[in-house]
Amino acid sequence: MTWIFDFLLVLGGLIFFHELGHFIVARLLGIGVKTFSLGFGPKIAGFSLGNTDYRLSLIPLGGYVSLAGEERDMDNDSGFNSKQLFMNRPPWHRMLVVAAGPVFNFILAWIIFWGIILTHGQMGMTPEVGSLQPDGPALQAGIQAGDNVLSINGKKIVFWSDLAETIQNSKTDSLDLVISRDGKQKNIIVTPQVQELKNLFGETIRVPVVGIVASGKTKTVELNGVSGAKAAAIQTWTVTKLICTSIVKMVERVVPMDSIGGPIMIAQAIKQQSERGLLELLQFTAFISINLGLLNLLPIPVLDGGHLLFFGLETVLRRPLNEKLQNAATRIGLLLLFSLMAFAIFNDLVRTFK
């Protein structure tokens, strides 16, 4: 049952790191922090430093930060001066504090990917040709099974994903491939053909292809600290784009709504990844961290994105938004959020009983 501990550690750690972002930026800007808690619920232990109460709470699912002057009613913030009150700060200060939570989720994902790359290297399929499409452009140009593609139009190819992306994004009528065959390098010009393929979401798209299939072999490339950090940043950006695209496709009804998952699906996934090993669990943690960051950036009141929207409008209008309007928007946001959570849990239960 160690996966239960993994579930608490992963989910609680992600939320805690999110709140840590709010805390650090608030302190850097000189905004008062009343409480910084590891966990929720009743206080188990803690200490006070200055005007901040640091506590360990009973429920280990994340944590929370309570800022001085966070509410319009500031009667309970007597220990802080007016400059330390959150709502007395200019909108861009408040926006930095709010945005820090989701940003820290992206930073955490990047750190995890970086650590994996430094300790295990970057792994992927080799750019080796396994088979060729009959009468395809590559076969006609002289490409053979077993050839390793080193570069395309001057761009270095390390993994098969580099090869596929370069070909599909090519805008030229011909591709200059440098391949390795029997220890010798050779230049081959291939003219791609546009064909209809199914993408990750099942949509039919038209892309340039050359008619080659990967051998399926894998390799690991060792990277140093700087190149590893760059590769981790690229991986974080790639996952972020994929999740954003999935959200858009869901709105467009390309991706079915029953694919939305909630805490039960996350717990099941953590259990599966935990059984496969620490590496898989860390990769999944980075993926969930990016999801959490993006979810909080949605422009829904009560989420960080909703607060950013309010403060952004305040910057444009040069005055605070009407308090009644904000309260009404917050109630609508809560309704949307609870509805989404209920729908996700319903999907989880349907999948579980099936």
Side-chain angles (χ1 to χ4, degrees), residues 16 35 50 80 133 151 191 197 237 294:
F16 175 75
T35 307
F80 301 89
Q133 181 182 0
S151 69
T191 302
L197 300 175
W237 175 243
L294 288 173

Side-chain angles (χ1 to χ4, degrees), residues 19-244:
E19 296 299 330
L20 183 64
H22 295 312
F23 172 79
I24 289 177
V25 174
R27 293 304 300 265
L28 288 174
L29 291 173
I31 296 172
V33 178
K34 293 190 293 185
T35 307
F36 181 63
S37 175
L38 174 58
F40 294 99
K43 179 180 177 179
I44 299 175
F47 62 93
S48 294
L49 185 62
N51 290 324
T52 304
D53 178 24
Y54 298 89
R55 61 176 62 177
L56 177 66
S57 299
L58 181 63
I59 305 173
L61 287 176
Y64 65 89
V65 175
S66 177
L67 300 176
E70 195 170 2
E71 303 295 333
R72 300 280 180 186
D73 182 10
M74 303 176 190
D75 294 337
N76 296 322
D77 302 320
S78 56
F80 301 89
N81 61 52
S82 60
K83 290 184 179 180
Q84 292 177 300
L85 301 181
F86 180 73
M87 293 306 295
N88 285 350
R89 289 305 186 93
W92 69 273
H93 276 198
R94 286 176 267 152
M95 291 175 76
L96 286 176
V97 174
V98 170
V103 168
F104 262 56
N105 285 124
F106 295 115
I107 292 175
L108 178 60
W110 171 70
I111 291 173
I112 293 173
F113 286 140
W114 190 14
I116 291 173
I117 289 171
L118 288 180
T119 55
H120 293 80
Q122 189 176 22
M123 190 179 73
M125 281 199 300
T126 63
E128 178 181 325
V129 179
S131 59
L132 296 97
Q133 181 182 0
D135 298 324
L139 182 63
Q140 294 176 4
I143 299 288
Q144 298 178 9
D147 289 347
N148 273 288
V149 180
L150 304 178
S151 69
I152 300 176
N153 288 346
K155 180 180 178 180
K156 184 180 179 181
I157 302 299
V158 180
F159 298 110
W160 185 266
S161 58
D162 302 325
L163 180 150
E165 182 180 358
T166 303
I167 293 175
Q168 291 184 7
N169 293 334
S170 64
K171 305 298 181 182
T172 57
D173 295 331
S174 62
L175 301 172
D176 183 6
L177 275 65
V178 178
I179 60 103
S180 174
R181 180 186 299 166
D182 299 327
K184 297 180 180 180
Q185 292 188 11
K186 187 175 181 180
N187 284 73
I188 298 179
I189 304 297
V190 181
T191 302
Q193 293 178 347
V194 177
Q195 293 184 5
E196 290 187 348
L197 300 175
K198 295 287 186 181
N199 66 7
L200 183 64
F201 305 101
E203 298 174 297
T204 300
I205 56 173
R206 293 175 58 82
V207 293
V209 297
V210 297
I212 56 177
V213 179
S215 65
K217 297 179 182 178
T218 60
K219 68 175 181 179
T220 301
V221 177
E222 300 295 331
L223 300 175
N224 60 31
V226 176
S227 57
K230 181 180 178 182
I234 293 173
Q235 189 169 357
T236 303
W237 175 243
T238 300
V239 174
T240 301
K241 286 196 301 182
L242 176 62
I243 296 173
C244 288

Side-chain angles (χ1 to χ4, degrees), residues 3-15 60-61 281 285:
W3 72 269
I4 297 179
F5 173 77
D6 292 334
F7 172 75
L8 295 175
L9 185 64
V10 169
L11 208 58
L14 292 179
I15 299 172
L61 287 176
L281 181 61
T285 301

Side-chain angles (χ1 to χ4, degrees), residues 6 270-284:
D6 292 334
I270 289 176
K271 181 177 184 294
Q272 292 173 354
Q273 301 306 319
S274 178
E275 291 171 347
R276 292 175 181 175
L278 179 61
L279 182 62
E280 284 74 12
L281 181 61
L282 285 172
Q283 289 175 331
F284 183 71

